[in-house]
Coordinates of all heavy atoms in Angstrom, one line a residue:
E238 N 105.1 114.6 83.5 CA 106.0 115.7 83.2 C 105.4 117.1 83.6 O 106.1 118.0 83.8 CB 106.3 115.6 81.7 CG 107.3 114.6 81.3 CD 108.5 114.5 82.0 OE1 109.2 115.5 82.0 OE2 108.9 113.4 82.4
Q239 N 104.1 117.1 83.7 CA 103.3 118.4 84.1 C 103.3 118.5 85.6 O 102.9 119.6 86.1 CB 102.0 118.4 83.5 CG 101.7 118.5 82.1 CD 100.3 118.7 81.7 OE1 99.7 117.8 81.4 NE2 99.8 120.0 81.6
L240 N 103.5 117.5 86.4 CA 103.4 117.5 87.7 C 104.7 117.7 88.6 O 105.8 117.0 88.3 CB 102.7 116.2 88.3 CG 101.4 115.8 87.5 CD1 100.9 114.5 88.1 CD2 100.4 116.9 87.8
N241 N 104.6 118.7 89.5 CA 105.7 118.7 90.6 C 105.1 118.1 91.9 O 104.5 118.8 92.7 CB 106.1 120.2 90.8 CG 106.9 120.8 89.7 OD1 107.7 120.0 89.0 ND2 106.7 122.0 89.4
L242 N 105.3 116.8 91.9 CA 104.7 116.1 93.1 C 105.7 116.1 94.2 O 106.9 115.9 94.1 CB 104.5 114.6 92.7 CG 103.3 114.3 91.8 CD1 103.5 113.0 91.0 CD2 102.0 114.2 92.6
T243 N 105.1 116.3 95.5 CA 106.0 116.4 96.6 C 105.2 116.1 97.9 O 104.0 116.3 98.0 CB 106.7 117.7 96.8 OG1 107.6 117.7 98.0 CG2 105.7 118.8 96.9
D244 N 105.8 115.4 98.8 CA 105.2 115.2 100.2 C 105.9 116.2 101.1 O 105.7 116.1 102.4 CB 105.4 113.8 100.6 CG 106.9 113.4 100.9 OD1 107.8 114.2 100.4 OD2 107.1 112.3 101.4
D245 N 106.5 117.2 100.7 CA 107.2 118.2 101.5 C 106.2 119.6 101.3 O 106.3 120.3 100.4 CB 108.6 118.6 101.0 CG 109.3 119.6 101.9 OD1 108.6 120.4 102.6 OD2 110.5 119.5 101.9
L246 N 105.4 119.7 102.4 CA 104.6 120.8 102.4 C 105.3 122.2 102.2 O 104.8 123.0 101.4 CB 103.7 121.0 103.7 CG 102.7 122.1 103.9 CD1 101.6 121.7 103.0 CD2 102.4 122.2 105.3
N247 N 106.3 122.4 102.8 CA 107.1 123.7 102.7 C 107.7 123.9 101.4 O 107.6 125.1 100.8 CB 108.2 123.9 103.8 CG 107.7 123.8 105.2 OD1 107.0 124.9 105.6 ND2 107.6 122.7 105.9
Q248 N 108.2 122.9 100.8 CA 108.6 122.9 99.3 C 107.5 123.3 98.4 O 107.8 124.2 97.5 CB 109.2 121.5 99.0 CG 110.0 121.7 97.5 CD 111.1 122.6 97.6 OE1 112.1 122.5 98.5 NE2 111.2 123.5 96.6
A249 N 106.3 122.7 98.6 CA 105.1 123.1 97.6 C 104.8 124.5 97.8 O 104.5 125.2 96.8 CB 104.0 122.1 98.0
V250 N 104.8 125.0 99.0 CA 104.5 126.5 99.3 C 105.4 127.3 98.7 O 105.1 128.3 98.0 CB 104.3 126.7 100.8 CG1 104.3 128.1 101.1 CG2 103.1 125.9 101.3
T251 N 106.8 127.0 98.8 CA 107.8 127.8 98.4 C 107.8 127.9 96.8 O 108.1 129.1 96.3 CB 109.1 127.4 98.8 OG1 109.2 127.3 100.2 CG2 110.3 128.2 98.4
D252 N 107.4 126.9 96.2 CA 107.6 126.8 94.7 C 106.4 127.4 94.0 O 106.3 127.5 92.7 CB 107.7 125.3 94.2 CG 109.1 124.8 94.6 OD1 110.0 125.6 95.0 OD2 109.2 123.6 94.6
A253 N 105.3 127.8 94.7 CA 104.1 128.2 94.0 C 103.7 129.6 94.5 O 104.1 130.1 95.6 CB 103.0 127.3 94.3
D254 N 102.8 130.3 93.8 CA 102.2 131.5 94.2 C 100.8 131.5 94.4 O 100.4 132.3 95.4 CB 102.4 132.5 93.0 CG 103.7 132.6 92.4 OD1 104.7 133.1 93.1 OD2 104.0 132.2 91.3
I255 N 100.1 130.7 93.9 CA 98.7 130.5 94.2 C 98.5 129.0 94.8 O 98.8 128.1 94.1 CB 97.8 130.6 93.0 CG1 97.9 132.1 92.3 CG2 96.3 130.3 93.3 CD1 97.1 132.2 91.0
L256 N 98.1 129.1 96.0 CA 98.0 127.8 96.7 C 96.5 127.4 96.8 O 95.7 128.1 97.4 CB 98.5 127.8 98.1 CG 99.9 128.6 98.3 CD1 100.2 128.6 99.8 CD2 101.0 127.9 97.5
I257 N 96.0 126.2 96.3 CA 94.7 125.8 96.3 C 94.6 124.6 97.3 O 95.2 123.5 97.1 CB 94.2 125.3 94.9 CG1 94.3 126.5 94.0 CG2 92.8 124.7 95.1 CD1 93.9 126.1 92.5
F258 N 93.9 124.7 98.4 CA 93.8 123.7 99.4 C 92.5 122.9 99.3 O 91.5 123.5 99.1 CB 93.9 124.3 100.8 CG 95.2 124.8 101.2 CD1 95.6 126.2 100.9 CD2 96.0 123.9 101.9 CE1 96.9 126.5 101.2 CE2 97.2 124.4 102.2 CZ 97.8 125.8 101.9
A259 N 92.6 121.6 99.2 CA 91.6 120.6 99.1 C 91.7 119.6 100.0 O 91.4 118.3 99.7 CB 91.5 120.1 97.6
I260 N 92.2 119.9 101.3 CA 92.3 119.0 102.3 C 91.1 119.0 103.2 O 90.6 120.1 103.5 CB 93.7 119.3 103.2 CG1 94.9 119.3 102.3 CG2 93.7 118.5 104.4 CD1 96.1 120.0 103.0
P261 N 90.5 117.9 103.6 CA 89.3 118.0 104.5 C 89.5 118.9 105.7 O 90.6 118.9 106.2 CB 89.1 116.5 104.9 CG 89.7 115.7 103.9 CD 90.9 116.5 103.3
S262 N 88.5 119.8 105.9 CA 88.7 120.7 106.9 C 89.0 120.2 108.3 O 89.7 120.9 109.1 CB 87.3 121.5 107.1 OG 86.2 120.7 107.5
A263 N 88.6 119.0 108.6 CA 88.9 118.4 109.9 C 90.4 118.1 110.1 O 90.9 118.0 111.2 CB 88.2 117.1 110.1
F264 N 91.2 118.0 109.0 CA 92.6 117.7 109.0 C 93.5 118.9 108.6 O 94.7 118.7 108.5 CB 92.8 116.5 108.2 CG 91.9 115.4 108.5 CD1 91.1 114.8 107.4 CD2 91.8 114.8 109.7 CE1 90.2 113.7 107.7 CE2 90.9 113.8 110.0 CZ 90.1 113.3 109.0
L265 N 92.9 120.0 108.2 CA 93.6 121.1 107.6 C 94.7 121.6 108.6 O 95.9 121.8 108.2 CB 92.8 122.2 107.2 CG 93.4 123.4 106.6 CD1 94.1 123.2 105.2 CD2 92.3 124.6 106.3
Q266 N 94.3 121.9 109.7 CA 95.2 122.7 110.7 C 96.4 121.7 111.0 O 97.5 122.1 111.2 CB 94.4 123.0 111.9 CG 95.4 123.8 112.9 CD 96.1 125.0 112.3 OE1 95.5 125.7 111.4 NE2 97.3 125.3 112.8
T267 N 96.2 120.4 111.2 CA 97.2 119.4 111.4 C 98.3 119.4 110.3 O 99.5 119.4 110.6 CB 96.6 118.0 111.5 OG1 95.7 118.0 112.5 CG2 97.7 117.0 111.8
E268 N 97.8 119.5 109.1 CA 98.8 119.6 108.0 C 99.5 121.0 108.0 O 100.7 121.1 107.8 CB 98.1 119.5 106.7 CG 97.6 118.1 106.3 CD 98.8 117.2 106.2 OE1 99.7 117.4 105.4 OE2 98.8 116.2 106.9
L269 N 98.7 122.2 108.3 CA 99.3 123.4 108.3 C 100.3 123.7 109.5 O 101.3 124.5 109.4 CB 98.3 124.5 108.4 CG 97.4 124.6 107.2 CD1 96.3 125.6 107.5 CD2 98.1 125.1 105.9
E270 N 100.3 122.8 110.5 CA 101.3 122.8 111.6 C 102.6 122.5 111.1 O 103.6 122.7 111.8 CB 100.8 122.0 112.7 CG 99.6 122.6 113.4 CD 99.1 121.6 114.5 OE1 99.5 120.5 114.6 OE2 98.1 121.9 115.2
K271 N 102.8 121.8 109.9 CA 104.0 121.5 109.4 C 104.8 122.7 108.8 O 105.9 122.5 108.4 CB 103.9 120.4 108.3 CG 103.3 119.1 108.8 CD 103.1 118.1 107.7 CE 102.4 116.9 108.0 NZ 102.0 116.0 106.9
L272 N 104.1 123.7 108.6 CA 104.6 124.9 107.9 C 105.8 125.5 108.7 O 105.7 125.8 109.9 CB 103.6 126.1 107.8 CG 102.6 125.9 106.6 CD1 101.5 126.9 106.7 CD2 103.4 126.1 105.3
T273 N 106.9 125.8 108.0 CA 108.0 126.5 108.6 C 108.4 127.7 107.7 O 109.3 128.4 108.1 CB 109.3 125.6 108.8 OG1 109.6 125.1 107.4 CG2 109.0 124.4 109.8
V274 N 107.7 127.9 106.6 CA 107.9 129.0 105.7 C 106.7 129.9 105.7 O 105.6 129.4 106.0 CB 108.2 128.5 104.4 CG1 109.5 127.8 104.2 CG2 107.1 127.8 103.8
P275 N 106.9 131.3 105.6 CA 105.7 132.1 105.7 C 104.8 131.9 104.4 O 105.3 131.5 103.3 CB 106.5 133.5 105.6 CG 107.7 133.4 104.9 CD 108.1 131.9 105.3
I276 N 103.5 132.1 104.6 CA 102.6 132.1 103.5 C 101.8 133.4 103.4 O 100.8 133.5 102.6 CB 101.6 131.0 103.7 CG1 100.8 131.1 105.0 CG2 102.2 129.6 103.7 CD1 99.6 130.0 105.0
S277 N 102.3 134.5 104.1 CA 101.4 135.7 104.1 C 101.5 136.4 102.8 O 100.7 137.3 102.5 CB 102.1 136.7 105.2 OG 103.5 136.9 105.1
D278 N 102.5 136.1 101.9 CA 102.6 136.6 100.6 C 102.0 135.9 99.5 O 102.1 136.1 98.4 CB 104.1 137.0 100.3 CG 104.9 135.8 100.3 OD1 104.6 134.7 100.9 OD2 106.0 135.8 99.6
K279 N 101.3 134.8 99.9 CA 100.8 133.9 98.9 C 99.3 134.2 98.7 O 98.7 134.9 99.5 CB 100.9 132.4 99.4 CG 102.3 132.0 99.7 CD 103.1 131.8 98.5 CE 104.5 131.4 98.8 NZ 105.4 131.3 97.6
I280 N 98.7 133.7 97.5 CA 97.3 133.8 97.3 C 96.7 132.5 97.6 O 97.2 131.6 97.0 CB 97.1 134.2 95.8 CG1 97.6 135.5 95.5 CG2 95.6 134.2 95.4 CD1 97.7 136.0 94.0
I281 N 95.7 132.5 98.4 CA 95.2 131.2 98.9 C 93.7 131.1 98.4 O 92.8 132.0 98.6 CB 95.1 131.3 100.6 CG1 96.5 131.6 101.1 CG2 94.5 129.9 101.0 CD1 97.6 130.5 101.0
F282 N 93.5 129.9 97.8 CA 92.2 129.5 97.4 C 91.7 128.3 98.1 O 92.5 127.2 98.0 CB 92.1 129.4 95.9 CG 91.6 130.7 95.1 CD1 92.7 131.7 95.0 CD2 90.4 131.0 94.8 CE1 92.4 132.9 94.5 CE2 90.1 132.2 94.1 CZ 91.1 133.2 93.9
S283 N 90.5 128.3 98.6 CA 90.0 127.1 99.3 C 89.1 126.4 98.5 O 88.1 127.0 97.9 CB 89.4 127.6 100.7 OG 88.6 126.5 101.2
A284 N 89.2 125.1 98.4 CA 88.3 124.3 97.7 C 87.7 123.3 98.8 O 87.3 122.1 98.4 CB 89.0 123.4 96.6

């Protein structure tokens, strides 16, 4: 009940203000290429 689980990257970005990325660096850009919504107004934390 505490989790908003999704496999839609853009939905996850849209619904949040602070984005914490814990994707292996070798695969990060491949995932980010799925973005169709802006993230310039988000707070980004890298783990």
Side-chain angles (χ1 to χ4, degrees):
E238 293 296 316
Q239 284 186 275
L240 304 178
N241 285 326
L242 286 155
T243 181
D244 62 348
D245 184 335
L246 181 75
N247 292 289
Q248 188 64 52
V250 168
T251 301
D252 290 345
D254 307 297
I255 300 176
L256 316 181
I257 300 178
F258 285 87
I260 297 167
S262 58
F264 312 121
L265 176 64
Q266 186 53 35
T267 301
E268 287 299 302
L269 292 176
E270 286 172 359
K271 299 175 184 177
L272 277 173
T273 58
V274 297
I276 60 170
S277 56
D278 61 336
K279 303 294 182 178
I280 299 170
I281 308 291
F282 272 78
S283 167

